[in-house]
Amino acid sequence: MFITFEGIEGCGKSTQAKLLYEELLNRGKRVILTREPGGTPSAEELREFILREREEFFPPFSELLLYIAARGFHVENLIMSALKEGIVVICDRFSDSTVAYQGYGRGIDPKFIREIDIRATGGLRPDITFLIDLPVKEALKRIRSRERDRIESEELEFHERVRRGFIEIAKSEPERVVVLDGRRGIGEIFKEVIRKLEERGAI
Ligand code: ADP
């Protein structure tokens, strides 16, 4: 079972991913919690490179390739082997983020992104994806006090495009992507996560 959480910065992804991880551990499941970009030592090195603020212009195509490169390390060295052993994998962001950010956010053709993404994932898709949707202003308010990385510091309109991108993805794959209203309380959202997973017999 491969479960991903998606959404704009500050929507509450990591909070829900961590709650689910703890819940599954309590239920005696074998489970790992991981994140993108990152998840393995090499991919975390790439994460640091990608997210660090820099003087030089970061070309969108270079950014895309680095995210894809990091995903390759992550899928090959961690996710696939865990799934093969029957371990539940919970991942904070995955391919949908690349389509939303580098596609809808930066303007690279989403279809092209899916094509090169398959080279890194070998076609691996999450069994279920939770998209936590929240107005950009509310999400950014939540992370006001946190130190912003290069992507989090982007202008409001960039995050609006990314949010719309996620919604488009959810519309195109309604069986896989469950949209959650992120304006609700943490506990209420989490109850829905559990309910959806139980309904599908996933946990
Ligand atoms: P993300 O991983 O999507 O960037 P986080 O899970 O780190 O977001 O949450 C960002 C901030 O918002 C944290 O301080 C977290 O405690 C808070 N938060 C998360 N979910 C909610 C919620 N449903 N309502 C209010 N605050 C929340």
Short mmCIF file of all heavy atoms in Angstrom, two decimals, residues 107-170:
data_model
loop_
_atom_site.label_atom_id
_atom_site.label_comp_id
_atom_site.label_asym_id
_atom_site.label_seq_id
_atom_site.Cartn_x
_atom_site.Cartn_y
_atom_site.Cartn_z
N GLY A 107 5.08 26.29 -15.57
CA GLY A 107 4.68 26.38 -16.98
C GLY A 107 5.25 25.32 -17.91
O GLY A 107 5.19 25.45 -19.13
N ILE A 108 5.82 24.25 -17.36
CA ILE A 108 6.29 23.15 -18.21
C ILE A 108 5.09 22.24 -18.51
O ILE A 108 4.23 22.04 -17.65
CB ILE A 108 7.42 22.35 -17.51
CG1 ILE A 108 8.62 23.27 -17.21
CG2 ILE A 108 7.86 21.16 -18.35
CD1 ILE A 108 9.72 22.65 -16.36
N ASP A 109 5.04 21.70 -19.73
CA ASP A 109 3.90 20.87 -20.15
C ASP A 109 3.70 19.68 -19.19
O ASP A 109 4.57 18.80 -19.09
CB ASP A 109 4.18 20.38 -21.58
CG ASP A 109 3.07 19.48 -22.11
OD1 ASP A 109 2.00 19.39 -21.46
OD2 ASP A 109 3.28 18.88 -23.18
N PRO A 110 2.54 19.61 -18.52
CA PRO A 110 2.30 18.51 -17.57
C PRO A 110 2.42 17.13 -18.19
O PRO A 110 2.88 16.18 -17.54
CB PRO A 110 0.86 18.76 -17.09
CG PRO A 110 0.63 20.21 -17.30
CD PRO A 110 1.42 20.58 -18.52
N LYS A 111 2.06 17.02 -19.47
CA LYS A 111 2.14 15.72 -20.14
C LYS A 111 3.60 15.27 -20.26
O LYS A 111 3.95 14.12 -20.04
CB LYS A 111 1.49 15.85 -21.53
CG LYS A 111 0.94 14.56 -22.05
CD LYS A 111 0.03 14.77 -23.25
CE LYS A 111 0.29 13.71 -24.29
NZ LYS A 111 1.25 14.07 -25.33
N PHE A 112 4.45 16.23 -20.61
CA PHE A 112 5.88 15.95 -20.70
C PHE A 112 6.43 15.54 -19.33
O PHE A 112 7.23 14.60 -19.22
CB PHE A 112 6.61 17.19 -21.23
CG PHE A 112 8.10 17.09 -21.17
CD1 PHE A 112 8.79 16.22 -22.02
CD2 PHE A 112 8.84 17.83 -20.26
CE1 PHE A 112 10.17 16.11 -21.96
CE2 PHE A 112 10.22 17.73 -20.18
CZ PHE A 112 10.88 16.86 -21.03
N ILE A 113 5.97 16.22 -18.29
CA ILE A 113 6.45 15.88 -16.94
C ILE A 113 6.07 14.45 -16.59
O ILE A 113 6.89 13.67 -16.09
CB ILE A 113 5.88 16.87 -15.89
CG1 ILE A 113 6.43 18.27 -16.17
CG2 ILE A 113 6.24 16.42 -14.47
CD1 ILE A 113 5.95 19.35 -15.23
N ARG A 114 4.83 14.06 -16.88
CA ARG A 114 4.41 12.67 -16.60
C ARG A 114 5.30 11.68 -17.35
O ARG A 114 5.65 10.62 -16.83
CB ARG A 114 2.95 12.46 -17.02
CG ARG A 114 1.94 13.16 -16.15
CD ARG A 114 1.69 12.42 -14.84
NE ARG A 114 0.64 13.02 -14.03
CZ ARG A 114 0.60 12.98 -12.71
NH1 ARG A 114 1.57 12.41 -12.03
NH2 ARG A 114 -0.39 13.52 -12.05
N GLU A 115 5.66 12.06 -18.60
CA GLU A 115 6.49 11.15 -19.40
C GLU A 115 7.87 10.92 -18.78
O GLU A 115 8.34 9.79 -18.72
CB GLU A 115 6.64 11.67 -20.83
CG GLU A 115 5.45 11.32 -21.70
CD GLU A 115 5.42 12.13 -22.99
OE1 GLU A 115 6.48 12.64 -23.41
OE2 GLU A 115 4.32 12.23 -23.55
N ILE A 116 8.52 12.01 -18.34
CA ILE A 116 9.86 11.76 -17.77
C ILE A 116 9.77 11.22 -16.35
O ILE A 116 10.63 10.48 -15.91
CB ILE A 116 10.84 12.95 -17.85
CG1 ILE A 116 10.28 14.18 -17.18
CG2 ILE A 116 11.25 13.27 -19.26
CD1 ILE A 116 11.42 15.18 -16.97
N ASP A 117 8.67 11.54 -15.68
CA ASP A 117 8.50 11.03 -14.31
C ASP A 117 8.44 9.50 -14.30
O ASP A 117 8.97 8.85 -13.40
CB ASP A 117 7.22 11.63 -13.71
CG ASP A 117 7.04 11.26 -12.25
OD1 ASP A 117 7.91 11.63 -11.44
OD2 ASP A 117 6.05 10.58 -11.92
N ILE A 118 7.82 8.95 -15.34
CA ILE A 118 7.70 7.48 -15.43
C ILE A 118 9.08 6.83 -15.48
O ILE A 118 9.28 5.73 -14.99
CB ILE A 118 6.84 7.10 -16.66
CG1 ILE A 118 5.37 7.38 -16.34
CG2 ILE A 118 7.04 5.65 -17.06
CD1 ILE A 118 4.40 7.03 -17.45
N ARG A 119 10.07 7.55 -16.05
CA ARG A 119 11.44 7.00 -16.11
C ARG A 119 12.02 6.85 -14.71
O ARG A 119 12.89 6.02 -14.47
CB ARG A 119 12.38 7.89 -16.94
CG ARG A 119 11.84 8.27 -18.29
CD ARG A 119 11.69 7.03 -19.17
NE ARG A 119 11.07 7.37 -20.42
CZ ARG A 119 11.73 7.48 -21.56
NH1 ARG A 119 13.03 7.29 -21.60
NH2 ARG A 119 11.08 7.80 -22.67
N ALA A 120 11.59 7.72 -13.79
CA ALA A 120 12.13 7.65 -12.42
C ALA A 120 11.32 6.70 -11.55
O ALA A 120 11.86 6.08 -10.63
CB ALA A 120 12.12 9.04 -11.79
N THR A 121 10.04 6.57 -11.83
CA THR A 121 9.18 5.77 -10.95
C THR A 121 8.99 4.35 -11.48
O THR A 121 8.48 3.49 -10.76
CB THR A 121 7.77 6.40 -10.85
OG1 THR A 121 7.17 6.41 -12.16
CG2 THR A 121 7.81 7.80 -10.29
N GLY A 122 9.34 4.13 -12.74
CA GLY A 122 9.06 2.84 -13.36
C GLY A 122 7.56 2.61 -13.47
O GLY A 122 7.11 1.48 -13.54
N GLY A 123 6.80 3.70 -13.42
CA GLY A 123 5.34 3.60 -13.54
C GLY A 123 4.65 3.42 -12.20
O GLY A 123 3.42 3.27 -12.15
N LEU A 124 5.40 3.45 -11.11
CA LEU A 124 4.78 3.30 -9.78
C LEU A 124 3.85 4.49 -9.49
O LEU A 124 4.25 5.64 -9.62
CB LEU A 124 5.88 3.25 -8.71
CG LEU A 124 5.38 3.26 -7.26
CD1 LEU A 124 4.71 1.94 -6.89
CD2 LEU A 124 6.52 3.57 -6.30
N ARG A 125 2.61 4.16 -9.12
CA ARG A 125 1.64 5.19 -8.77
C ARG A 125 1.13 4.91 -7.36
O ARG A 125 1.01 3.75 -6.98
CB ARG A 125 0.43 5.15 -9.73
CG ARG A 125 0.77 5.20 -11.19
CD ARG A 125 1.10 6.57 -11.65
NE ARG A 125 -0.10 7.39 -11.83
CZ ARG A 125 -0.09 8.71 -11.85
NH1 ARG A 125 1.04 9.36 -11.66
NH2 ARG A 125 -1.19 9.40 -12.05
N PRO A 126 0.79 5.96 -6.62
CA PRO A 126 0.21 5.71 -5.29
C PRO A 126 -1.11 4.96 -5.42
O PRO A 126 -1.84 5.13 -6.40
CB PRO A 126 -0.03 7.12 -4.74
CG PRO A 126 0.84 8.02 -5.57
CD PRO A 126 0.93 7.40 -6.91
N ASP A 127 -1.42 4.12 -4.41
CA ASP A 127 -2.73 3.47 -4.39
C ASP A 127 -3.79 4.48 -4.04
O ASP A 127 -4.91 4.42 -4.52
CB ASP A 127 -2.73 2.33 -3.34
CG ASP A 127 -1.75 1.25 -3.74
OD1 ASP A 127 -2.01 0.59 -4.75
OD2 ASP A 127 -0.69 1.10 -3.08
N ILE A 128 -3.43 5.39 -3.16
CA ILE A 128 -4.37 6.46 -2.80
C ILE A 128 -3.59 7.74 -2.46
O ILE A 128 -2.51 7.68 -1.87
CB ILE A 128 -5.28 6.03 -1.62
CG1 ILE A 128 -6.33 7.11 -1.29
CG2 ILE A 128 -4.49 5.68 -0.38
CD1 ILE A 128 -7.49 6.63 -0.43
N THR A 129 -4.12 8.86 -2.90
CA THR A 129 -3.49 10.16 -2.66
C THR A 129 -4.50 11.06 -1.97
O THR A 129 -5.64 11.17 -2.43
CB THR A 129 -3.06 10.79 -4.00
OG1 THR A 129 -2.06 9.94 -4.59
CG2 THR A 129 -2.48 12.19 -3.81
N PHE A 130 -4.07 11.68 -0.86
CA PHE A 130 -4.92 12.66 -0.19
C PHE A 130 -4.44 14.04 -0.58
O PHE A 130 -3.29 14.40 -0.30
CB PHE A 130 -4.87 12.48 1.33
CG PHE A 130 -5.52 11.20 1.78
CD1 PHE A 130 -4.75 10.09 2.12
CD2 PHE A 130 -6.90 11.09 1.84
CE1 PHE A 130 -5.35 8.90 2.52
CE2 PHE A 130 -7.51 9.91 2.24
CZ PHE A 130 -6.73 8.81 2.58
N LEU A 131 -5.31 14.78 -1.25
CA LEU A 131 -4.99 16.17 -1.59
C LEU A 131 -5.69 17.06 -0.57
O LEU A 131 -6.93 17.07 -0.49
CB LEU A 131 -5.49 16.49 -3.01
CG LEU A 131 -5.51 17.98 -3.35
CD1 LEU A 131 -4.13 18.61 -3.27
CD2 LEU A 131 -6.09 18.19 -4.76
N ILE A 132 -4.89 17.76 0.22
CA ILE A 132 -5.48 18.66 1.21
C ILE A 132 -5.58 20.04 0.56
O ILE A 132 -4.57 20.67 0.23
CB ILE A 132 -4.64 18.71 2.51
CG1 ILE A 132 -4.42 17.27 3.02
CG2 ILE A 132 -5.33 19.59 3.55
CD1 ILE A 132 -3.61 17.18 4.29
N ASP A 133 -6.81 20.46 0.34
CA ASP A 133 -7.02 21.72 -0.38
C ASP A 133 -7.37 22.84 0.60
O ASP A 133 -8.19 22.65 1.50
CB ASP A 133 -8.15 21.55 -1.41
CG ASP A 133 -8.33 22.82 -2.21
OD1 ASP A 133 -7.32 23.31 -2.77
OD2 ASP A 133 -9.46 23.35 -2.25
N LEU A 134 -6.74 23.98 0.37
CA LEU A 134 -6.89 25.11 1.28
C LEU A 134 -6.58 26.40 0.50
O LEU A 134 -5.67 26.40 -0.33
CB LEU A 134 -5.85 24.92 2.41
CG LEU A 134 -5.84 25.85 3.60
CD1 LEU A 134 -7.08 25.61 4.46
CD2 LEU A 134 -4.60 25.61 4.44
N PRO A 135 -7.32 27.51 0.76
CA PRO A 135 -6.96 28.75 0.08
C PRO A 135 -5.50 29.13 0.40
O PRO A 135 -5.03 28.93 1.53
CB PRO A 135 -7.93 29.78 0.69
CG PRO A 135 -9.09 28.97 1.17
CD PRO A 135 -8.51 27.66 1.61
N VAL A 136 -4.82 29.66 -0.61
CA VAL A 136 -3.38 29.95 -0.48
C VAL A 136 -3.09 30.85 0.72
O VAL A 136 -2.16 30.60 1.48
CB VAL A 136 -2.87 30.60 -1.79
CG1 VAL A 136 -1.43 31.07 -1.62
CG2 VAL A 136 -2.96 29.61 -2.95
N LYS A 137 -3.91 31.89 0.88
CA LYS A 137 -3.62 32.84 1.97
C LYS A 137 -3.67 32.15 3.33
O LYS A 137 -2.84 32.42 4.20
CB LYS A 137 -4.61 34.01 1.93
CG LYS A 137 -4.22 35.02 0.87
CD LYS A 137 -4.92 36.34 1.06
CE LYS A 137 -4.41 37.31 0.00
NZ LYS A 137 -5.48 38.06 -0.64
N GLU A 138 -4.65 31.25 3.49
CA GLU A 138 -4.75 30.55 4.79
C GLU A 138 -3.56 29.63 5.00
O GLU A 138 -3.04 29.53 6.11
CB GLU A 138 -6.05 29.72 4.84
CG GLU A 138 -7.26 30.58 5.13
CD GLU A 138 -8.53 29.75 5.24
OE1 GLU A 138 -8.51 28.75 5.98
OE2 GLU A 138 -9.51 30.13 4.57
N ALA A 139 -3.14 28.97 3.93
CA ALA A 139 -2.01 28.04 4.05
C ALA A 139 -0.73 28.80 4.40
O ALA A 139 0.03 28.40 5.28
CB ALA A 139 -1.85 27.26 2.75
N LEU A 140 -0.52 29.92 3.72
CA LEU A 140 0.72 30.68 3.95
C LEU A 140 0.72 31.31 5.35
O LEU A 140 1.77 31.44 5.97
CB LEU A 140 0.93 31.74 2.87
CG LEU A 140 1.19 31.19 1.46
CD1 LEU A 140 1.46 32.31 0.47
CD2 LEU A 140 2.38 30.20 1.43
N LYS A 141 -0.48 31.66 5.83
CA LYS A 141 -0.58 32.21 7.18
C LYS A 141 -0.07 31.18 8.21
O LYS A 141 0.59 31.52 9.17
CB LYS A 141 -2.05 32.54 7.47
CG LYS A 141 -2.25 33.87 8.19
CD LYS A 141 -3.68 34.06 8.65
CE LYS A 141 -4.60 34.50 7.51
NZ LYS A 141 -6.03 34.43 7.89
N ARG A 142 -0.37 29.91 7.94
CA ARG A 142 0.03 28.86 8.88
C ARG A 142 1.54 28.69 8.96
O ARG A 142 2.05 28.22 9.96
CB ARG A 142 -0.57 27.52 8.46
CG ARG A 142 -2.04 27.43 8.72
CD ARG A 142 -2.51 26.03 8.38
NE ARG A 142 -3.96 25.93 8.43
CZ ARG A 142 -4.64 24.87 8.02
NH1 ARG A 142 -4.00 23.85 7.50
NH2 ARG A 142 -5.95 24.86 8.11
N ILE A 143 2.23 29.04 7.86
CA ILE A 143 3.69 28.82 7.89
C ILE A 143 4.44 30.14 7.99
O ILE A 143 5.64 30.22 7.71
CB ILE A 143 4.19 28.00 6.66
CG1 ILE A 143 3.81 28.67 5.33
CG2 ILE A 143 3.64 26.58 6.70
CD1 ILE A 143 4.50 28.03 4.13
N ARG A 144 3.69 31.19 8.44
CA ARG A 144 4.30 32.53 8.53
C ARG A 144 5.56 32.53 9.39
O ARG A 144 6.55 33.18 9.05
CB ARG A 144 3.28 33.51 9.10
CG ARG A 144 3.34 34.85 8.47
CD ARG A 144 2.20 35.74 8.79
NE ARG A 144 1.41 35.32 9.94
CZ ARG A 144 0.19 35.78 10.18
NH1 ARG A 144 -0.36 36.65 9.37
NH2 ARG A 144 -0.48 35.38 11.25
N SER A 145 5.51 31.78 10.50
CA SER A 145 6.63 31.87 11.43
C SER A 145 7.78 30.94 11.03
O SER A 145 8.87 31.02 11.57
CB SER A 145 6.15 31.50 12.83
OG SER A 145 5.55 30.24 12.78
N ARG A 146 7.53 30.05 10.05
CA ARG A 146 8.59 29.10 9.68
C ARG A 146 9.52 29.74 8.66
O ARG A 146 9.09 30.56 7.85
CB ARG A 146 7.84 27.86 9.20
CG ARG A 146 8.31 27.05 8.10
CD ARG A 146 7.50 25.74 8.12
NE ARG A 146 7.07 25.35 6.79
CZ ARG A 146 6.17 24.39 6.54
NH1 ARG A 146 5.56 23.77 7.52
NH2 ARG A 146 5.85 24.08 5.32
N GLU A 147 10.78 29.36 8.70
CA GLU A 147 11.73 29.92 7.73
C GLU A 147 11.40 29.36 6.35
O GLU A 147 11.34 28.15 6.18
CB GLU A 147 13.15 29.56 8.14
CG GLU A 147 14.17 30.49 7.52
CD GLU A 147 15.59 30.11 7.92
OE1 GLU A 147 15.79 29.80 9.12
OE2 GLU A 147 16.46 30.11 7.04
N ARG A 148 11.17 30.25 5.38
CA ARG A 148 10.72 29.79 4.06
C ARG A 148 11.89 29.33 3.19
O ARG A 148 12.93 29.98 3.16
CB ARG A 148 10.03 30.94 3.31
CG ARG A 148 8.89 31.58 4.06
CD ARG A 148 7.59 30.90 3.69
NE ARG A 148 6.48 31.58 4.34
CZ ARG A 148 5.74 32.50 3.75
NH1 ARG A 148 5.95 32.85 2.50
NH2 ARG A 148 4.75 33.07 4.41
N ASP A 149 11.69 28.22 2.46
CA ASP A 149 12.71 27.80 1.50
C ASP A 149 12.43 28.49 0.15
O ASP A 149 11.53 29.31 0.03
CB ASP A 149 12.77 26.27 1.39
CG ASP A 149 11.47 25.64 0.88
OD1 ASP A 149 10.83 26.26 0.00
OD2 ASP A 149 11.11 24.55 1.36
N ARG A 150 13.22 28.12 -0.87
CA ARG A 150 13.15 28.80 -2.17
C ARG A 150 11.75 28.69 -2.79
O ARG A 150 11.27 29.64 -3.41
CB ARG A 150 14.21 28.18 -3.10
CG ARG A 150 14.55 29.01 -4.31
CD ARG A 150 15.68 28.35 -5.07
NE ARG A 150 15.37 26.99 -5.48
CZ ARG A 150 14.61 26.68 -6.53
NH1 ARG A 150 14.13 27.62 -7.30
NH2 ARG A 150 14.36 25.41 -6.83
N ILE A 151 11.11 27.54 -2.64
CA ILE A 151 9.79 27.34 -3.26
C ILE A 151 8.71 28.04 -2.43
O ILE A 151 7.83 28.71 -2.96
CB ILE A 151 9.47 25.83 -3.40
CG1 ILE A 151 10.58 25.09 -4.16
CG2 ILE A 151 8.10 25.62 -4.06
CD1 ILE A 151 10.69 25.37 -5.64
N GLU A 152 8.82 27.92 -1.11
CA GLU A 152 7.81 28.53 -0.24
C GLU A 152 7.80 30.05 -0.38
O GLU A 152 6.79 30.69 -0.12
CB GLU A 152 8.07 28.13 1.23
CG GLU A 152 7.72 26.67 1.50
CD GLU A 152 8.19 26.15 2.85
OE1 GLU A 152 9.07 26.79 3.47
OE2 GLU A 152 7.71 25.10 3.26
N SER A 153 8.94 30.62 -0.78
CA SER A 153 9.04 32.08 -0.90
C SER A 153 8.47 32.62 -2.21
O SER A 153 8.49 33.83 -2.43
CB SER A 153 10.50 32.52 -0.81
OG SER A 153 11.13 31.91 0.27
N GLU A 154 7.97 31.76 -3.06
CA GLU A 154 7.41 32.23 -4.34
C GLU A 154 6.20 33.13 -4.11
O GLU A 154 5.56 33.08 -3.06
CB GLU A 154 6.97 31.01 -5.18
CG GLU A 154 8.09 30.32 -5.92
CD GLU A 154 8.66 31.16 -7.07
OE1 GLU A 154 7.98 32.08 -7.54
OE2 GLU A 154 9.81 30.87 -7.47
N GLU A 155 5.86 33.92 -5.13
CA GLU A 155 4.74 34.87 -5.02
C GLU A 155 3.40 34.13 -4.90
O GLU A 155 3.29 32.95 -5.24
CB GLU A 155 4.73 35.77 -6.25
CG GLU A 155 4.56 34.92 -7.50
CD GLU A 155 4.77 35.65 -8.82
OE1 GLU A 155 5.38 36.72 -8.82
OE2 GLU A 155 4.30 35.11 -9.83
N LEU A 156 2.40 34.89 -4.44
CA LEU A 156 1.06 34.33 -4.21
C LEU A 156 0.49 33.66 -5.46
O LEU A 156 -0.06 32.56 -5.40
CB LEU A 156 0.14 35.49 -3.79
CG LEU A 156 -0.97 35.17 -2.82
CD1 LEU A 156 -0.41 34.64 -1.51
CD2 LEU A 156 -1.81 36.41 -2.58
N GLU A 157 0.64 34.32 -6.61
CA GLU A 157 0.06 33.80 -7.85
C GLU A 157 0.64 32.43 -8.23
O GLU A 157 -0.05 31.58 -8.76
CB GLU A 157 0.24 34.84 -8.98
CG GLU A 157 -0.39 34.47 -10.31
CD GLU A 157 -1.83 33.91 -10.23
OE1 GLU A 157 -2.63 34.42 -9.42
OE2 GLU A 157 -2.12 32.96 -10.98
N PHE A 158 1.92 32.24 -7.91
CA PHE A 158 2.55 30.94 -8.17
C PHE A 158 1.82 29.85 -7.37
O PHE A 158 1.43 28.81 -7.92
CB PHE A 158 4.04 30.98 -7.77
CG PHE A 158 4.74 29.65 -7.86
CD1 PHE A 158 5.21 29.17 -9.08
CD2 PHE A 158 4.94 28.87 -6.72
CE1 PHE A 158 5.86 27.95 -9.18
CE2 PHE A 158 5.59 27.64 -6.80
CZ PHE A 158 6.05 27.18 -8.03
N HIS A 159 1.58 30.11 -6.10
CA HIS A 159 0.89 29.12 -5.25
C HIS A 159 -0.55 28.91 -5.71
O HIS A 159 -1.08 27.81 -5.59
CB HIS A 159 0.95 29.55 -3.78
CG HIS A 159 2.34 29.56 -3.22
ND1 HIS A 159 3.03 28.40 -2.93
CD2 HIS A 159 3.19 30.57 -2.93
CE1 HIS A 159 4.23 28.71 -2.48
NE2 HIS A 159 4.36 30.02 -2.47
N GLU A 160 -1.18 29.98 -6.23
CA GLU A 160 -2.55 29.85 -6.76
C GLU A 160 -2.55 28.89 -7.95
O GLU A 160 -3.44 28.05 -8.08
CB GLU A 160 -3.11 31.21 -7.23
CG GLU A 160 -3.30 32.24 -6.13
CD GLU A 160 -4.51 31.97 -5.22
OE1 GLU A 160 -5.19 30.95 -5.41
OE2 GLU A 160 -4.72 32.80 -4.31
N ARG A 161 -1.58 29.03 -8.82
CA ARG A 161 -1.49 28.14 -9.99
C ARG A 161 -1.27 26.70 -9.55
O ARG A 161 -1.85 25.77 -10.09
CB ARG A 161 -0.35 28.56 -10.92
CG ARG A 161 -0.60 29.85 -11.69
CD ARG A 161 0.36 29.98 -12.88
NE ARG A 161 1.77 30.03 -12.49
CZ ARG A 161 2.42 31.12 -12.11
NH1 ARG A 161 1.79 32.28 -12.05
NH2 ARG A 161 3.70 31.07 -11.78
N VAL A 162 -0.41 26.54 -8.55
CA VAL A 162 -0.12 25.19 -8.04
C VAL A 162 -1.39 24.58 -7.45
O VAL A 162 -1.72 23.42 -7.71
CB VAL A 162 1.02 25.24 -6.99
CG1 VAL A 162 1.21 23.89 -6.32
CG2 VAL A 162 2.32 25.71 -7.63
N ARG A 163 -2.12 25.39 -6.68
CA ARG A 163 -3.36 24.88 -6.08
C ARG A 163 -4.33 24.43 -7.18
O ARG A 163 -4.91 23.34 -7.09
CB ARG A 163 -4.02 25.98 -5.22
CG ARG A 163 -5.28 25.50 -4.55
CD ARG A 163 -6.03 26.61 -3.86
NE ARG A 163 -7.23 26.08 -3.20
CZ ARG A 163 -8.26 26.82 -2.83
NH1 ARG A 163 -8.25 28.12 -3.03
NH2 ARG A 163 -9.31 26.27 -2.26
N ARG A 164 -4.48 25.27 -8.21
CA ARG A 164 -5.37 24.89 -9.33
C ARG A 164 -4.87 23.62 -10.01
O ARG A 164 -5.66 22.78 -10.43
CB ARG A 164 -5.47 26.04 -10.35
CG ARG A 164 -6.30 27.22 -9.86
CD ARG A 164 -6.71 28.12 -11.03
NE ARG A 164 -5.57 28.80 -11.67
CZ ARG A 164 -5.05 29.95 -11.24
NH1 ARG A 164 -5.54 30.57 -10.18
NH2 ARG A 164 -4.05 30.51 -11.88
N GLY A 165 -3.56 23.49 -10.12
CA GLY A 165 -2.98 22.29 -10.73
C GLY A 165 -3.36 21.03 -9.98
O GLY A 165 -3.77 20.03 -10.57
N PHE A 166 -3.25 21.09 -8.66
CA PHE A 166 -3.62 19.93 -7.85
C PHE A 166 -5.09 19.56 -8.07
O PHE A 166 -5.43 18.38 -8.16
CB PHE A 166 -3.37 20.21 -6.36
CG PHE A 166 -1.95 20.00 -5.91
CD1 PHE A 166 -1.24 21.01 -5.28
CD2 PHE A 166 -1.33 18.76 -6.08
CE1 PHE A 166 0.07 20.81 -4.84
CE2 PHE A 166 -0.02 18.54 -5.64
CZ PHE A 166 0.67 19.58 -5.02
N ILE A 167 -5.94 20.58 -8.14
CA ILE A 167 -7.38 20.32 -8.34
C ILE A 167 -7.61 19.64 -9.70
O ILE A 167 -8.41 18.71 -9.81
CB ILE A 167 -8.19 21.65 -8.24
CG1 ILE A 167 -8.06 22.26 -6.84
CG2 ILE A 167 -9.65 21.45 -8.63
CD1 ILE A 167 -8.77 21.49 -5.74
N GLU A 168 -6.88 20.11 -10.72
CA GLU A 168 -7.00 19.49 -12.05
C GLU A 168 -6.60 18.01 -11.99
O GLU A 168 -7.25 17.16 -12.58
CB GLU A 168 -6.09 20.21 -13.05
CG GLU A 168 -6.57 21.58 -13.47
CD GLU A 168 -7.95 21.54 -14.12
OE1 GLU A 168 -8.19 20.65 -14.95
OE2 GLU A 168 -8.79 22.40 -13.77
N ILE A 169 -5.50 17.74 -11.30
CA ILE A 169 -5.02 16.36 -11.18
C ILE A 169 -6.10 15.51 -10.51
O ILE A 169 -6.42 14.41 -10.95
CB ILE A 169 -3.70 16.30 -10.37
CG1 ILE A 169 -2.58 17.01 -11.13
CG2 ILE A 169 -3.31 14.86 -10.05
CD1 ILE A 169 -1.32 17.28 -10.30
N ALA A 170 -6.67 16.05 -9.42
CA ALA A 170 -7.70 15.30 -8.68
C ALA A 170 -8.90 15.02 -9.58
O ALA A 170 -9.45 13.92 -9.55
CB ALA A 170 -8.12 16.09 -7.44
#
